[in-house]
Amino acid sequence: MENSENGGVEPKQNNKGKHRKPKPWDDDPNIDRWKIEKFDPSWNEGGMLEVTSFSTLFPQYREKYLQEAWPIVKSALKEYGISCELNLVEGSMTVSTTRKTKDPYIVVKARDLIKLLSRSVPAPQAIKVLNDEMQCDIIKISNLVRNKERFIKRRQRLMGPNSSTLKALEILTGCYILIQGNTVSAMGSFKPLKQVRKIVEDCMQNVMHPIFHIKILMVRKELEKDPTLAHESWDRFLPKFKNKEKRPYTPYPPPPQPSKIDIQLQTGEYFLNDKVKSAKKWQERQEKQTEKTAENKRKREAAFIPPKEPVVQDTKSDDGGKDLAAMAISLKKKAKEYGRQNSAENVNAEAYIAESGEPSKKKSKRKHS
């Protein structure tokens, strides 16, 4: 700040970005700035000048497994020039750089590896974190819930029955997720890890159930397949879940409830005589008694009310007429048969023999024709 001739103060000029000039690769569309290039040892031929080391403690129940899996971990780190040490007395694991270490960031990856091993991640899965494409995130959930019983319930909610919710999250996010004790270990790329952390924190803080997050992820996965919606907002397609409305916090207590004397003052009953009060109470008691007796009477009389009989509908159709006609025909046939039987019983033997000798007219006519 400098004083001017008039006694005023002149503002200092901002020289930030003074030497910034546009580069030819700033607007190049062919360059993918999010791509992680694989490390080439020729970039750092001299190696590391200083030794960097990280150590972490592990629980006692992991001691036996780490003893068995330590040769696999040691051989995996040896490829990158990292030395590792398992101290069973102190219960710690240590990784450090050597002269053969070329990649300066691999020691950070080795630190993540021993952290995952201490959080019960299997060694073959934890070794994958040494790849450049794989990252890890260890989410601490013990400090999100104070009550122990509530903490156990919400942690079980995150896992789901038979770990079904956890498997669905692994499929949709493409991350490896393991819940162990007070932490959640996740392995994957940056974007899915961010989603996993959001889901875990929302579940433990009772903001949103993991099932709702799974529904949203499923809708997003389907929308990603449509190239026409790449530059549009997806808010209209995503499901919206309403949370329970919480009452706004007010420092003032709720208004007190009116007492019996206040109610009597409002109705004017407080100023009545004792005789009038007792007469009023007796009248109210009588009204309640009459209502009760009427109700009991209705209940008693309800047992003597006969049930409604089903109404029989008269079916006047053509089927009845057809049945009568068929019955009349059958009766006529039976009458004819009965008549024939009576005539056969009263036949004279001589007349029958005489008639049987003569040919009938009907048969002779048929033969001529």
Side-chain angles (χ1 to χ4, degrees):
M1 308 289 280
E2 295 178 357
N3 295 328
S4 61
E5 295 176 358
N6 300 331
V9 180
E10 291 182 358
K12 192 176 180 180
Q13 292 182 357
N14 188 8
N15 294 326
K16 190 177 179 181
K18 178 181 175 183
H19 303 288
R20 168 70 181 153
K21 293 181 181 179
K23 308 294 189 297
W25 55 81
D26 283 348
D27 300 324
D28 191 358
N30 298 324
I31 297 173
D32 187 8
R33 291 174 178 79
W34 291 100
K35 187 181 178 183
I36 301 169
E37 295 182 5
K38 193 175 180 180
F39 180 78
D40 189 1
S42 62
W43 296 349
N44 188 16
E45 292 178 354
M48 307 294 290
L49 299 175
E50 295 290 336
V51 177
T52 308
S53 64
F54 294 100
S55 62
T56 185
L57 300 173
F58 60 86
Q60 193 175 2
Y61 62 85
R62 291 287 291 168
E63 185 177 329
K64 189 178 178 182
Y65 177 78
L66 289 172
Q67 274 183 304
E68 295 172 358
W70 197 249
I72 303 167
V73 177
K74 199 169 185 178
S75 61
L77 291 171
K78 194 175 181 181
E79 295 177 6
Y80 298 95
I82 298 288
S83 66
C84 58
E85 182 187 353
L86 178 66
N87 192 339
L88 298 175
V89 178
E90 296 178 359
S92 65
M93 292 178 285
T94 308
V95 291
S96 57
T97 57
T98 60
R99 289 185 178 181
K100 294 180 181 179
T101 308
K102 302 293 182 183
D103 188 359
Y105 191 71
I106 197 67
V107 70
V108 180
K109 292 274 191 178
R111 180 200 64 182
D112 294 340
L113 169 62
I114 58 175
K115 277 186 178 180
L116 290 169
L117 287 170
S118 66
R119 295 317 306 155
S120 301
V121 177
Q125 179 66 34
I127 287 167
K128 293 178 184 178
V129 82
L130 297 173
N131 299 330
D132 291 334
E133 296 83 13
M134 187 69 70
Q135 311 297 328
C136 78
D137 190 10
I138 297 171
I139 307 158
K140 193 177 179 183
I141 57 174
S142 60
N143 57 352
L144 297 176
V145 185
R146 291 184 180 180
N147 192 347
K148 191 176 180 181
E149 293 179 2
R150 198 174 293 166
F151 168 77
I152 292 165
K153 282 183 181 178
R154 290 181 186 175
R155 186 178 63 180
Q156 185 59 36
R157 185 190 300 170
L158 186 61
M159 293 179 70
N162 298 324
S163 301
S164 56
T165 308
L166 205 64
K167 287 174 187 174
L169 288 171
E170 285 182 348
I171 292 164
L172 291 169
T173 57
C175 292
Y176 172 82
I177 306 169
L178 178 71
I179 300 170
Q180 177 66 25
N182 297 331
T183 58
V184 178
S185 305
M187 292 175 63
S189 54
F190 287 111
K191 192 176 178 182
L193 284 176
K194 193 177 178 183
Q195 291 175 344
V196 170
R197 178 173 274 275
K198 176 92 168 80
I199 292 165
V200 170
E201 287 178 353
D202 284 356
C203 177
M204 297 307 295
Q205 291 173 351
N206 202 25
V207 176
M208 189 182 287
H209 199 281
I211 293 295
F212 298 145
H213 278 291
I214 287 168
K215 288 180 180 179
I216 291 167
L217 288 171
M218 288 172 71
V219 173
R220 283 181 184 276
K221 205 165 188 179
E222 291 296 323
L223 292 170
E224 283 173 3
K225 295 176 184 177
D226 194 353
T228 56
L229 301 171
H231 303 289
E232 293 183 16
S233 177
W234 293 350
D235 293 340
R236 55 199 172 107
F237 301 108
L238 298 176
K240 294 176 183 178
F241 306 103
K242 292 181 180 179
N243 295 331
K244 292 181 180 178
E245 294 182 1
K246 293 183 179 180
R247 293 179 181 178
Y249 172 74
T250 55
Y252 307 106
Q257 296 296 325
S259 63
K260 288 183 178 180
I261 296 170
D262 295 335
I263 294 167
Q264 288 176 358
L265 287 168
Q266 287 177 1
T267 56
E269 189 180 347
Y270 183 79
F271 304 101
L272 297 175
N273 297 329
D274 293 338
K275 290 183 179 180
V276 179
K277 285 181 183 179
S278 60
K280 193 174 181 181
K281 284 181 182 178
W282 181 80
Q283 190 177 357
E284 288 175 358
R285 210 177 292 122
Q286 288 294 323
E287 288 176 359
K288 286 180 182 179
Q289 193 173 353
T290 51
E291 288 177 4
K292 193 72 177 176
T293 50
E295 189 178 350
N296 292 335
K297 191 178 179 181
R298 279 198 302 273
K299 287 179 181 179
R300 285 196 301 273
E301 289 176 353
F304 299 101
I305 297 170
K308 291 183 179 180
E309 296 180 359
V311 180
V312 180
Q313 294 181 355
D314 296 333
T315 54
K316 295 181 180 180
S317 58
D318 298 336
D319 295 340
K322 289 178 182 178
D323 293 341
L324 289 170
M327 196 183 294
I329 292 164
S330 63
L331 288 171
K332 285 179 182 179
K333 284 181 180 179
K334 285 179 182 178
K336 285 181 181 179
E337 288 175 1
Y338 184 72
R340 286 173 186 172
Q341 286 176 2
N342 289 334
S343 61
E345 289 174 0
N346 301 324
V347 170
N348 191 2
E350 294 176 359
Y352 180 75
I353 292 164
E355 287 178 1
S356 60
E358 295 176 3
S360 61
K361 295 178 180 180
K362 289 181 180 177
K363 288 182 180 178
S364 61
K365 284 180 182 179
R366 283 179 186 173
K367 285 178 183 179
H368 288 298
S369 60

